[in-house]
Amino acid sequence: VVKVIDSRPVLVTGGSGFGGSYIARTLADGGARVITYDIAAPRTESAHLLAGADVQLEKGSIDDWPRVFEVVSRYRPRAIVHAGGIMDVAFLDDHPLVALRTNVAGALYLLEAARLLGGVERFVLLSTIAVIGKVLYEPVDGNHPTITATEGPAGAYSAAKASAEAFCFTYVQHHGLDCRIIRPSALYGFGMSWFAPNYMKNIVEPALEGRPVRLKTGGEVPRDYFNVVDLASLVETLVEGPPDPVRVFHGGTGESLRTASDVAALVRKLVPGADVEVGNDWTESDRDEVRIRGQYDVADARRLGWRPQFTDLETGISDYITRYRDFRAVGGVPTPPPADVRDAPGLGG
Ligand SMILES: NC(=O)c1ccc[n+]([C@@H]2O[C@H](COP(=O)([O-])OP(=O)(O)OC[C@H]3O[C@@H](n4cnc5c(N)ncnc54)[C@H](O)[C@@H]3O)[C@@H](O)[C@H]2O)c1
């Protein structure tokens, strides 16, 4: 049997970032032609990950309609994976209109370009588990509400995601676009950005650099840590897999939750000599965040053929460590944290 590969490309927004670069690499390794659309060149970690892959960057902003239209009309992608946007959640809470103009309008410009130009067979939106606002039952499945009489998406970043999700349905209902939404839980892995206060980067990377890690908080905060490699394979399943009526998928392991204490214990086990201590205090954002943490149902993705590699946190962290060491071994220089990053516990130590 000869697999016929559609030569039209897949457009990946945010392809210079963490999730986007793994998605681009995975699709390209699977035989797809990949164009990334991003306002920035890849960070050092993403550049390392993309080295040698057949991936071409088109620079541009998702909130620049003429540029979005130009790129979609030039490449006529068969699929669009939308992983770009502003991730600085504290900044977006202070400036909700930025969330509207860039994150909501950016998604709509891509949907609209897909509608006007045609030929886009799949549209995959990277959303977030934080659209649910508060876990009302577990496992959290695709039918879990996002807005109730008393709860709503967590902050402007999530409000923008919920809005983009809602607009996806307009394009499904009225324009025949096959949209799928992924809501990832705490994403981790080599190349993760500093805007992810999920007690992983701040433990793994200093430990690998031989620095002591002393965090006062996080020891008890539970999460379904989701490895970026598995996010990329989930996207590939949704782009290349069969048609299906289900629109909402959770990006998680579906297993029980783990804490920063668990991460610390695994890092001590996996990195000889690692000096890591994580306390059990809670930050304000930990308390906010725990509302959305629960066990997520990933049965629909599995039904479509998705097989995650890292349902076990230890092997997932091992993969992170191996990739980080490989990057350092070839002279890779880690991206420093932005000067104004907030809410990322453990920065600097
Ligand atoms: N990291 C997580 O824990 C997490 C959790 C849930 C959902 N997500 C979602 O997954 C996706 C990828 O997140 P990530 O962790 O890779 O973030 P990231 O910050 O590493 O990547 C985002 C990319 O978007 C680009 N970008 C920013 N503004 C842009 C603009 N105006 N136009 C074009 N590109 C722009 C950035 O340059 C960057 O390369 C996002 O949609 C994010 O909301 C991430």
Side-chain angles (χ1 to χ4, degrees), residues 221-299:
V221 186
R223 293 180 169 80
D224 184 358
Y225 282 102
F226 185 44
N227 192 290
V228 67
V229 169
D230 291 329
L231 172 69
S233 68
L234 174 56
V235 170
E236 188 179 36
T237 300
L238 298 186
V239 167
E240 310 289 10
D244 195 74
V246 170
R247 302 282 157 220
V248 176
F249 297 85
H250 286 103
T253 63
E255 303 291 327
S256 349
L257 308 193
R258 308 298 296 271
T259 65
S261 288
D262 297 329
V263 174
L266 290 170
V267 170
R268 282 193 296 267
K269 179 176 169 191
L270 295 167
V271 181
D275 178 11
V276 179
E277 284 172 26
V278 175
N280 287 341
D281 290 351
W282 289 65
T283 65
E284 209 175 305
S285 68
D286 290 339
R287 281 187 211 288
D288 286 345
E289 204 188 294
V290 78
R291 301 153 66 79
I292 57 159
R293 298 293 168 197
Q295 210 166 346
Y296 309 115
D297 184 340
V298 295

Side-chain angles (χ1 to χ4, degrees), residues 19 22 39 66 76 100 130 149 198 214 225 241 268 272 274 281 335 347:
Y22 280 83
I39 201 167
R76 299 295 172 129
L100 174 71
N198 65 17
R214 298 279 178 272
Y225 282 102
R268 282 193 296 267
D281 290 351
T335 303
L347 281 182

